Amino acid sequence: MRPRTFGLAVSLFLACACTRTTSSDTAPTAADAKKFIDDVNATTLKLATEASQAGWVAETYITGDTSALNARANQRFIDTLARYAKDAVRFDHTDVPPDLRRSLDLLKVALVMATPSDPREGEELTSIAANLDAAYGKGKWCEDPKKPESCLDINQITEIMRVSRDEKKLRQVWEGWHTISPSMRKDYARFVDLSNKGAKELGFPDTGAMWRSKYDMPADAFTKELDRLWDQVRPLYLKLHAYVRMKLREKYGDVVPANGPIPAHLLGNIWAQDWTNVYPLVAPKNSDPGYDLTAILKNRKLTPVDMVKTGERFYTSLGFSPLPQTFWERSMLVKPRDRDVVCHASAWDVDNVEDLRIKMCIEPTDEDFRTIHHELGHNFYQRSYKDLPMLFRDSANDGFHEAIGDTIALSVTPEYLVKIGMIEKAPDSSRDIGLLMQRALEKIAFLPFGLLIDQWRWKVFSGEVKPDDYNKSWWDLRLKYQGVAPVAARSEEFFDPGAKYHVPGNVPYTRYFLADILQFQFHRALSQTAGCTSMLHRCSIYQSADAGKKLNDMLSMGLSQPWPEALTKIAGTKQMDASAILDYFKPLDTWLDEQIKGKPVGW
Ligand SMILES: [Zn+2]
């Protein structure tokens, strides 16, 4: 992931009750617009850099002071951006060149929440947004409210969901976590009203439409695009769902229906968005790959720096320049002994030019090795677009940044490990089903969830779903897309969407769905460029200068052009295409067909 303060993709709420600047009598000219955008680029570069510096210190040296400084720097950046976004409306009818128009449009959608001009409403919205975020952050479930030691936060809940196989316990914990959110319901409804008001002032019908307008196509067309992509992958999801349901039924008995939805508490994750943790229950026989990268990293005593140098060599093998010396001086690669830090891996570009860094508490594990390749993807992307104006220093759409890191991680194949001398010989393909199953439990299982969060929110923002139906519509969508259901009815006394951070935190979610789709499309296209003729899941673009050139051609465009233009540079098409996922998982798809032969599919 990337830190929140990076670039202009700010996922924080805005906190100003800004008023529109007074307009003069004469209509603004293109020269006025140019001057305005130049000012925006210069000022946001300065403020974003200050915010990143504060953010870096806050996350690598956690104290009350550093977090206060960070909040202040963030607020300054967000307030300024909000003011600029409202000012940009002034040029709505000015005839300007395309790059200026694009800059003005991007500015208006740079923030995810628009505050109404009315100062009182603006302040109310800001405080509700902060309260919702805080309510989630403080969320705890206490088995015995009189005993504080019985209280569980989301990390402890996550761990129980990961390891427990006790159906009753899982159900209790699942229901427990969902008690944190009913109190958010009223605030959320008010939040929707007020943020819609702000969006209208910027010229959008509602907040959901404002979010969708980030994607260089009409909002409705974008919705249809998502449906089309989902239809492509749905048959594979149904097979995975049927197989996992069958195996869970073997484990848990009748609580898992033979042909209905899977109970939401049995998939190893509180939101059932990632099923990797149930792998031991569904693992195919004889699918051990025959090597253990974690053990190899440990035996060879590879240091965190060694591991990152190995990741860097992947990128230099594609033709990218090595990381700057400052990367090695300023990154945090090891968990410090003497202070609290945020260990969650992230990639930074502190000065928005070349002050690239990674913040990670690296352990010698297979997972961390892969994550390093992912995080460096962000860094190389960041550096590729450093020469563009600040408003364009971001990925082609918000799905692209995550997709690039993951694309590279898909190239961490057994063949790649052979080439870099980690293993002697790649296992034969009969061993691949286990690896593909693990990856499917992560990436295929996620797709419907990645889609439905914003399906729900867009309906809420547009008014199609009213507060009286918040919970019903949530579970309708979870059933429709995921085939997942609660074991007992969830009436409107609950507010289950609030138990997922991105709803009270107001972070758009479609980007994760897009990233999941795009990474396979990128991987297939780049593998073809690299001349890979083996099965797609065994292709690595390591050492391919041709693939590297295509990749860099796209990365260096940043956000300067509509994303279909960027997509074309790699994939040779302007359309997103989920068929690469099907290619990648072909052997698993065939294997699943055999496993579920004669068994019910769907719900
Ligand atoms: Zn990432």
Side-chain angles (χ1 to χ4, degrees):
M1 66 168 275
R2 291 177 302 149
R4 294 167 145 199
T5 50
F6 164 78
L8 296 171
V10 175
S11 32
L12 291 171
F13 46 88
L14 37 134
C16 91
C18 320
T19 48
R20 222 175 270 214
T21 50
T22 45
S23 54
S24 62
D25 289 342
T26 49
T29 63
D32 294 335
K34 165 101 175 51
K35 189 169 169 300
F36 171 69
I37 288 297
D38 286 348
D39 182 38
V40 170
N41 278 317
T43 307
T44 53
L45 171 59
K46 186 170 157 281
L47 293 179
T49 302
E50 283 177 19
S52 290
Q53 288 166 330
W56 177 267
V57 178
E59 294 203 7
T60 58
Y61 197 108
I62 302 176
T63 69
D65 294 332
T66 58
S67 85
L69 290 168
N70 184 31
R72 217 176 298 159
N74 250 315
Q75 202 57 59
R76 208 159 39 226
F77 175 56
I78 290 167
D79 287 353
T80 305
L81 206 49
R83 202 177 58 240
Y84 280 137
K86 299 222 158 159
D87 273 4
V89 176
R90 226 160 21 106
F91 303 100
D92 276 358
H93 304 291
T94 310
D95 195 15
V96 296
D99 65 320
L100 267 188
R101 178 53 60 201
R102 183 165 177 79
S103 300
L104 290 162
D105 288 347
L106 288 172
L107 190 52
K108 285 200 275 182
V109 296
L111 290 166
V112 298
M113 186 179 97
T115 44
S117 305
D118 179 292
R120 228 174 333 153
E121 287 178 333
E123 270 163 41
E124 187 187 354
L125 177 58
T126 302
S127 101
I128 291 179
N131 289 344
L132 284 167
D133 193 74
Y136 185 93
K138 282 187 262 178
K140 275 189 180 168
W141 169 63
C142 309
E143 188 171 355
D144 180 352
K146 284 187 222 100
K147 290 191 194 140
E149 67 274 18
S150 77
C151 298
L152 303 176
D153 64 18
I154 187 60
N155 292 329
Q156 292 159 310
I157 301 258
T158 299
E159 183 60 13
I160 294 170
M161 298 303 292
R162 184 174 81 83
V163 297
S164 175
R165 301 285 182 254
D166 175 348
E167 193 272 324
K168 287 207 169 54
K169 174 87 184 160
L170 289 167
R171 179 173 170 174
Q172 184 195 27
V173 168
W174 189 95
E175 287 177 343
W177 179 246
H178 287 80
T179 61
I180 70 151
S181 46
S183 62
M184 300 173 188
R185 169 187 279 270
K186 223 172 128 222
D187 274 354
Y188 195 76
R190 181 71 180 150
F191 166 82
V192 168
D193 286 345
L194 290 172
S195 78
N196 276 343
K197 204 162 177 194
K200 283 199 181 82
E201 288 178 21
L202 289 176
F204 302 99
D206 62 73
T207 300
M210 182 172 97
W211 291 3
R212 294 197 297 284
S213 69
K214 271 185 130 159
Y215 296 98
D216 300 308
M217 53 171 71
D220 288 346
F222 181 62
T223 314
K224 288 209 180 79
E225 264 304 274
L226 297 179
D227 285 342
R228 183 181 64 76
L229 293 167
W230 172 238
D231 282 343
Q232 281 186 290
V233 291
R234 191 167 175 270
L236 175 57
Y237 178 75
L238 286 178
K239 291 179 198 180
L240 182 70
H241 179 281
Y243 171 75
V244 169
R245 176 175 60 192
M246 180 178 85
K247 300 304 275 184
L248 291 178
R249 194 169 151 79
E250 285 170 19
K251 168 76 186 169
Y252 292 111
D254 284 342
V255 66
V256 181
N259 54 10
I262 300 176
H265 63 297
L266 295 180
L267 285 156
N269 174 278
I270 190 76
W271 306 284
Q273 70 175 68
D274 179 336
W275 303 352
T276 318
N277 295 328
V278 299
Y279 180 73
L281 299 180
V282 306
K285 287 200 182 71
N286 306 320
S287 56
D288 179 67
Y291 68 88
D292 178 351
L293 184 58
T294 299
I296 293 167
L297 293 166
K298 282 192 177 128
N299 285 341
R300 297 200 184 176
K301 300 194 167 45
L302 253 73
T303 65
V305 171
D306 295 335
M307 287 169 69
V308 180
K309 290 263 182 203
T310 308
E312 181 192 29
R313 276 197 294 276
F314 189 103
Y315 291 87
T316 53
S317 89
L318 300 177
F320 289 90
S321 302
L323 292 161
Q325 186 53 34
T326 50
F327 173 91
W328 304 102
E329 292 160 6
R330 299 174 186 171
S331 286
M332 185 193 92
L333 304 180
V334 184
K335 184 174 182 177
R337 285 186 213 177
D338 58 346
R339 61 183 200 264
D340 287 332
V341 299
V342 178
C343 273
H344 192 92
S346 54
W348 300 61
D349 180 9
V350 174
D351 66 353
N352 292 286
V353 183
E354 56 195 356
D355 190 352
L356 307 171
R357 306 179 196 180
I358 278 182
K359 179 186 67 57
M360 205 176 154
C361 303
I362 299 175
E363 298 283 340
T365 64
D366 187 340
E367 189 187 350
D368 279 7
F369 187 69
R370 198 174 289 279
T371 302
I372 288 166
H373 287 73
H374 171 97
E375 296 302 336
L376 289 178
H378 290 308
N379 279 155
F380 283 94
Y381 206 158
Q382 288 159 339
R383 191 171 59 182
S384 293
Y385 54 59
K386 70 180 170 62
D387 294 326
L388 296 171
M390 186 60 185
L391 279 166
F392 295 154
R393 286 184 211 174
D394 206 338
S395 57
N397 71 35
D398 56 9
F400 276 54
H401 234 299
E402 289 306 323
I404 289 301
D406 276 356
T407 300
I408 301 303
L410 289 176
S411 268
V412 181
T413 58
E415 283 74 11
Y416 165 62
L417 296 177
V418 171
K419 278 194 182 161
I420 62 171
M422 287 284 177
I423 59 176
E424 298 248 313
K425 188 168 158 290
D428 72 78
S429 59
S430 68
R431 304 286 178 158
D432 287 356
I433 296 300
L435 183 111
L436 285 169
M437 175 62 81
Q438 288 196 32
R439 206 148 284 168
L441 292 173
E442 179 195 346
K443 312 243 182 198
I444 304 295
F446 176 75
L447 286 164
F449 187 79
L451 194 58
L452 75 85
I453 298 256
D454 282 350
Q455 299 284 338
W456 180 80
R457 248 183 321 202
W458 294 343
K459 285 178 203 286
V460 167
F461 283 128
S462 76
E464 189 188 329
V465 167
K466 303 272 186 299
D468 286 350
D469 286 322
Y470 275 172
N471 225 36
K472 179 184 180 302
S473 56
W474 172 256
W475 285 107
D476 285 350
L477 288 167
R478 294 203 61 186
L479 180 65
K480 176 183 169 189
Y481 286 104
Q482 284 186 292
V484 157
V487 271
R490 307 288 297 172
S491 67
E492 296 300 327
E493 73 181 284
F494 298 107
F495 180 56
D496 294 326
K500 170 71 187 168
Y501 169 69
H502 298 69
V503 174
N506 198 36
V507 184
Y509 211 73
T510 303
R511 65 183 67 159
Y512 303 108
F513 174 81
L514 295 178
D516 226 13
I517 302 278
L518 285 168
Q519 61 189 263
F520 290 96
Q521 191 174 3
F522 292 158
H523 178 65
R524 182 174 65 184
L526 292 172
S527 295
Q528 279 162 359
T529 303
C532 179
T533 51
S534 49
M535 282 186 294
L536 193 51
H537 66 282
R538 284 293 190 112
C539 285
S540 175
I541 62 168
Y542 180 59
Q543 290 178 322
S544 168
D546 291 344
K549 180 174 181 320
K550 274 198 174 176
L551 184 59
N552 188 51
D553 283 351
M554 189 197 86
L555 301 187
S556 56
M557 287 168 76
L559 184 54
S560 65
Q561 293 184 41
W563 64 261
E565 302 298 330
L567 182 60
T568 306
K569 293 274 183 202
I570 286 187
T573 166
K574 291 185 177 175
Q575 227 183 13
M576 288 187 279
D577 181 4
S579 69
I581 294 189
L582 308 180
D583 285 356
Y584 187 94
F585 287 101
K586 188 81 193 102
L588 181 73
D589 186 78
T590 308
W591 183 86
L592 283 170
D593 280 338
E594 288 162 27
Q595 306 303 311
I596 58 174
K597 204 185 280 173
K599 300 275 193 261
V601 175
W603 51 87

